[in-house]
Amino acid sequence: MPEAGAELVRSTRLRVLPGGAAAPAPGTVRIFLMGGDALARAGVMALLADHEGLAFVGDDEPGPRALAALRAHRPDVLVVHGPREPHEVAALLAGVDPELPVLTVGGCDPDAHSARLLRGHLPATTTARQLAAAVSLAAAGYALSRGARPEPEQAAPARPRGVGTRTGQGTGTVSDVPPDTLTDREGQVLDLVSRGLSNTEIAQSLTLSEHTVKTHVQNLLQKLRVRNRVHVAIYAFESGLR
């Protein structure tokens, strides 16, 4: 069993051990995962393993060791998996920087007090794309709110549980470039990026080479004058394209 576990960590390249892996690339959303079930944490990390622009900088069960790791790694988003009691989140977050965006995934819905400490709660049925979008939005300063569930055929790419207001970020938008300046192809790529698809998935969806998709993404970054894929997704929401 130790060998199998070690192989899982190597294959997903998600866990950062002391003195280990290189730091994520600039512009990457850095995530720390907290949860009491190590196997469940590995599953959550595997869900986001192929999503560009997201990287786990560590994971641990709740406690002093996790708080020390948070201070050391300084993530952009904290994801808490599987709180078992509605009031548990508030206790888990004691000692966590109140400015750190926090999402909960699975477990019980938080109570009113715990919910005020969060950027959002996602159900256990959340897809990888929805989780990726939620993390990106939380990192950009947005809070998720409960919304109408999408139709079944739209469930995979839809925004997770609705998108609420941007918190603590002022009223400015990430880019003032008009949407009508984008080409049809750029609009297609923007839409798929905002849905959380990787370059490989976009290439398959549009029947393009992955190199061509990377070129389109870079062109979008330059045309919109934004820094990363997270801002591309936020632009899609703010401009009404998503």
Side-chain angles (χ1 to χ4, degrees):
M1 289 297 294
E3 291 76 14
E7 181 59 33
L8 174 63
V9 171
R10 286 195 297 270
S11 63
T12 58
R13 294 172 293 155
L14 291 169
R15 191 181 184 91
V16 177
L17 301 178
T28 298
V29 176
R30 297 157 51 86
I31 310 166
F32 191 92
L33 177 62
M34 184 187 295
D37 187 329
L39 191 59
R41 293 200 308 269
V44 172
M45 291 190 292
L47 279 178
L48 300 185
D50 296 326
H51 284 268
E52 286 89 351
L54 305 177
F56 283 91
V57 295
D59 74 287
D60 211 332
E61 61 185 18
R65 188 171 60 187
L67 293 177
L70 283 170
R71 289 190 292 269
H73 294 301
R74 300 178 63 84
D76 300 307
V77 178
L78 170 62
V79 176
V80 178
H81 178 266
R84 290 167 293 185
E85 300 291 341
H87 63 275
E88 184 179 5
V89 174
L92 292 178
L93 297 183
V96 174
D97 183 352
E99 297 299 317
L100 177 62
V102 181
L103 294 171
T104 54
V105 180
C108 293
D109 283 4
D111 61 13
H113 174 62
S114 294
R116 287 196 293 269
L117 305 175
L118 303 176
R119 289 289 172 85
H121 171 77
L122 299 109
T125 55
T126 296
T127 67
R129 291 174 184 172
Q130 289 173 331
L131 179 56
V135 168
S136 297
L137 288 165
Y142 283 82
L144 308 180
S145 60
R146 291 178 184 273
R149 293 189 179 276
E151 295 301 319
E153 65 270 16
Q154 297 177 334
R159 283 177 280 180
R161 301 176 73 99
V163 177
T165 57
R166 203 173 187 184
T167 61
Q169 299 290 325
T171 58
T173 59
V174 295
S175 174
D176 58 3
V177 176
D180 57 11
T181 62
L182 301 179
T183 66
D184 290 343
R185 181 64 83 188
E186 287 169 344
Q188 292 173 331
V189 172
L190 181 144
D191 179 63
L192 296 176
V193 168
S194 70
R195 294 172 186 266
L197 272 67
S198 67
N199 284 349
T200 300
E201 292 172 321
I202 294 173
Q204 293 171 348
S205 177
L206 299 179
T207 319
L208 299 172
S209 70
E210 192 167 346
H211 175 75
T212 300
V213 171
K214 289 180 180 178
T215 300
H216 282 306
V217 172
Q218 288 302 314
N219 289 343
L220 272 175
L221 295 176
Q222 294 175 9
K223 180 175 285 190
L224 298 176
R225 299 191 294 275
V226 296
R227 291 178 296 175
N228 52 43
R229 297 170 73 97
V230 173
H231 289 154
V232 171
I234 297 305
Y235 175 83
F237 289 121
E238 291 183 336
S239 64
L241 296 176
R242 282 280 285 128

